[in-house]
């Protein structure tokens, strides 16, 4: 018989069931860095495995950013997986080299490498879900980061509990509960020293901004941000259905041949214009700031012949009846 679950494990199981994150018989790939959050996630999945009748395997990404420490992280994850009787998949990345070639930050490059590898494992081995160790503080950090960067209201939803094959079962769990579980179960973990400073911006938000506000407003920030996140998710769901209906009623609002019909855009409210333009830019791999969206809305208040430079590669021009999205140099 399965052993009796403790309080944290029961709450974890409840989240999996209520949110349909893991179904009976599914094979879950746990993304494990070796830190406390992912190690707690791994052991929680193993604890509820007999109840859900699911399978668990482990994936680890070695970004080779911290020399010997990165190798020790990898070894720790391999040993833990072996101790738990789980298959362990490991990939090495030359993240600094890739970041330079891709002209992206180290953090963004590692994220791209990580999720590309996870989806490669899904295709090769047929995993049903990939579980990551993001928790409520990570969600708060993401919301604030997006806010400071200039996101729109739907961008305040933060981290999704379920997106494609990716699940975040710890998303409603407090960091203190995770650390308490680690201590109670005597789970060994590795500490990434690069997470302790105030660079990059996410670290500054994590170590300076959130603790200061939490102290001043008596631990009200994280619950408030979680409510905003939930409401933004509800709004996003509504907007998806709303814009589907708009597109069905007016083909001029569908990005076709890199263009949108100006007269159709002008019939919308300013909020609708911004959201539709944001979706168009996302098709080009751009996550626009509120400043860029406002520039595009202002463009519609001018006259044909005007254009906006969005980046070194992309511009939006008002030409005749249409707002045209085009790569520079393509005419």
């Amino acid at each position: 018989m399965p052993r009796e679950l403790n309080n944290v494990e029961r709450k974890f199981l409840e989240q999996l069931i209520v949110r349909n994150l893991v179904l009976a018989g599914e094979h879950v790939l746990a993304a494990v860095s070796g830190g406390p959050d992912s190690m707690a996630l791994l052991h929680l999945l193993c604890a509820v495995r007999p109840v859900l009748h699911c399978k668990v395997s482990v994936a680890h990404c070695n970004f080779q950013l911290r020399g010997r420490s990165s190798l020790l992280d990898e070894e720790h994850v391999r040993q833990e997986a072996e101790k738990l009787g789980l298959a362990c998949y490991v990939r090495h990345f030359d993240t600094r080299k890739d970041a330079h070639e891709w002209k992206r930050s180290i953090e963004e490059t590692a994220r791209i490498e990580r999720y590309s590898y996870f989806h490669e494992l899904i295709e090769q081995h047929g995993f049903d879900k990939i579980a990551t160790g993001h928790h409520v503080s990570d969600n708060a950090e993401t919301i604030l980061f997006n806010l400071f960067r200039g996101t729109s209201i739907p961008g305040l939803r933060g981290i999704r509990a379920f997106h494609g094959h990716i699940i975040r079962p710890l998303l409603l769990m407090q960091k203190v509960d995770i650390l308490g579980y680690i201590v109670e179960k005597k789970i060994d973990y590795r500490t990434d020293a690069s997470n302790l400073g105030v660079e990059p911006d996410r670290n500054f938000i994590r170590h300076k901004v959130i603790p200061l506000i939490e102290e001043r407003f008596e631990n009200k920030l994280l619950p408030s941000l979680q409510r905003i996140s939930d409401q933004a998710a509800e709004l996003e769901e509504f907007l998806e259905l709303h814009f589907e209906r708009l597109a069905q009623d007016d083909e001029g609002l569908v990005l076709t041949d890199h263009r949108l019909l100006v007269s159709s855009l002008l019939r919308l409210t300013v909020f609708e214009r911004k959201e539709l333009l944001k979706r168009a830019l996302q098709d080009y791999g751009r996550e626009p700031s509120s400043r860029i969206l406002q520039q595009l809305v202002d463009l519609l208040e001018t006259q044909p012949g005007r254009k906006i430079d969005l980046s070194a590669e992309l511009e939006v021009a008002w030409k005749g009846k249409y707002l045209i999205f085009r790569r520079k140099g393509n005419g």
Side-chain angles (χ1 to χ4, degrees):
M1 287 186 60
R3 68 168 177 81
E4 184 177 351
L5 302 180
N6 67 19
N7 188 48
V8 174
E9 291 164 344
R10 285 196 298 272
K11 288 181 179 179
F12 178 77
L13 177 62
E14 180 181 328
Q15 285 301 312
L16 293 180
I17 295 174
V18 169
R19 296 188 169 206
N20 292 317
L21 297 181
V22 178
L23 306 179
E26 287 191 324
H27 196 163
V28 181
L29 183 67
V32 182
S33 67
D37 303 332
S38 64
M39 292 299 293
L41 171 68
L42 177 59
H43 282 262
L44 284 165
L45 285 170
C46 288
V48 302
R49 181 175 47 175
V51 181
L52 290 176
H53 305 290
C54 64
K55 299 177 182 178
V56 178
S57 293
V58 175
H60 175 76
C61 296
N62 186 336
F63 300 110
Q64 303 188 88
L65 293 171
R66 298 184 296 116
R68 178 167 170 74
S69 291
S70 292
L71 291 174
L72 292 175
D73 291 346
E74 176 186 330
E75 184 60 26
H76 179 67
V77 173
R78 286 186 185 275
Q79 290 177 354
E80 197 69 16
E82 183 178 0
K83 185 167 67 176
L84 294 169
L86 307 177
C88 183
Y89 302 87
V90 176
R91 172 71 58 84
H92 288 208
F93 298 94
D94 192 343
T95 304
R96 284 195 179 87
K97 178 174 176 289
D98 290 341
H100 177 74
E101 291 179 352
W102 300 348
K103 295 181 173 58
R104 295 178 181 268
S105 68
I106 292 289
E107 185 181 36
E108 176 68 8
T109 300
R111 188 189 69 81
I112 294 171
E113 291 171 335
R114 179 187 302 119
Y115 287 107
S116 295
Y117 178 47
F118 294 161
H119 285 96
E120 181 182 321
L121 288 173
I122 285 178
E123 292 179 1
Q124 290 177 348
H125 303 282
F127 296 110
D128 298 292
K129 303 287 173 55
I130 299 165
T132 71
H134 295 91
H135 51 79
V136 67
S137 295
D138 292 320
N139 196 31
E141 172 191 315
T142 298
I143 293 170
L144 290 175
F145 180 77
N146 289 344
L147 179 65
F148 298 150
R149 192 175 58 175
T151 188
S152 61
I153 293 174
L156 297 177
R157 73 168 294 166
I159 302 171
R160 304 183 186 198
F162 196 155
H163 185 55
H165 290 282
I166 308 295
I167 60 173
R168 281 96 178 197
L170 303 182
L171 206 52
L172 293 183
M173 190 173 290
Q174 300 283 348
K175 182 74 172 183
V176 64
D177 295 326
I178 294 172
L179 293 176
Y181 184 72
I182 287 282
V183 171
E184 179 184 348
K185 294 297 180 180
K186 298 181 174 60
I187 300 171
D188 291 329
Y189 63 89
R190 298 273 301 162
T191 299
D192 183 348
S194 65
N195 288 330
L196 302 179
V198 293
E199 296 292 341
D201 290 339
R202 285 181 178 273
N203 280 12
F204 179 76
I205 293 171
R206 180 185 310 142
H207 297 304
K208 295 294 184 180
V209 176
I210 291 177
L212 183 63
I213 299 176
E214 283 280 272
E215 180 182 0
R216 182 68 177 86
F217 293 96
E218 299 178 350
N219 301 315
K220 292 180 180 178
L221 177 65
L222 297 188
S224 295
L225 289 176
Q226 189 60 49
R227 284 194 298 273
I228 290 173
S229 177
D230 293 340
Q231 291 165 6
E234 293 165 1
L235 174 61
E236 185 177 61
E237 184 178 0
F238 164 77
L239 289 176
E240 289 300 325
L241 295 174
H242 177 66
F243 283 106
E244 282 181 17
R245 288 193 291 266
L246 285 180
Q248 290 172 358
D249 295 339
D250 188 343
E251 292 183 355
L253 298 175
V254 180
L255 187 64
T256 306
D257 294 329
H258 309 286
R259 62 189 189 179
L260 296 169
L261 189 62
V262 170
S263 59
S264 296
L265 288 168
L266 291 176
R267 283 196 288 269
L268 302 177
T269 66
V270 172
F271 179 83
E272 289 172 321
R273 291 176 204 170
K274 287 183 177 180
E275 284 301 308
L276 196 128
L277 289 165
K278 181 181 76 173
R279 284 161 169 73
L281 288 174
Q282 287 172 338
D283 287 346
Y284 292 90
R286 294 276 301 177
E287 193 61 45
S289 66
S290 57
R291 180 183 60 81
I292 287 176
L293 292 175
Q294 187 61 53
Q295 286 179 329
L296 291 173
V297 168
D298 291 344
L299 177 64
L300 293 170
E301 301 297 331
T302 60
Q303 59 187 354
R306 299 290 184 89
K307 67 179 182 178
I308 298 287
D309 289 328
L310 298 180
S311 68
E313 299 85 23
L314 184 66
E315 64 184 14
V316 178
W318 183 351
K319 191 173 183 180
K321 298 179 182 179
Y322 298 99
L323 207 61
I324 300 175
F325 297 74
R326 61 193 184 192
R327 304 289 181 183
K328 291 183 181 178
N330 291 346

